[in-house]
Amino acid sequence: MRDVEQDHDEETPYECFACGKVITAESHPENCQDCGGEMRNRLTPLE
Ligand SMILES: [Zn+2]
């Protein structure tokens, strides 16, 4: 089994930990465009 991974040509929603802003991008953004906070993949459930 491979880890869950999105196709690179498919846009994935990412949510900012700090401000909750959601953006879609083809690759994982390093930081929020608004506040510079850490982004997480919304399709990945939090434990
Ligand atoms: Zn933010």
Side-chain angles (χ1 to χ4, degrees):
M1 288 279 291
R2 296 183 57 192
D3 290 338
V4 176
E5 213 172 316
Q6 299 298 314
D7 291 336
H8 288 295
D9 59 351
E10 184 174 324
E11 293 212 334
T12 303
Y14 292 95
E15 181 176 10
C16 176
F17 274 118
C19 74
K21 181 181 177 66
V22 176
I23 65 171
T24 55
E26 292 181 8
S27 61
H28 195 148
E30 289 291 329
N31 295 101
C32 176
Q33 296 171 342
D34 278 5
C35 72
E38 185 179 351
M39 306 296 291
R40 72 171 185 88
N41 189 335
R42 289 192 80 203
L43 301 182
T44 303
L46 290 175
E47 292 293 333

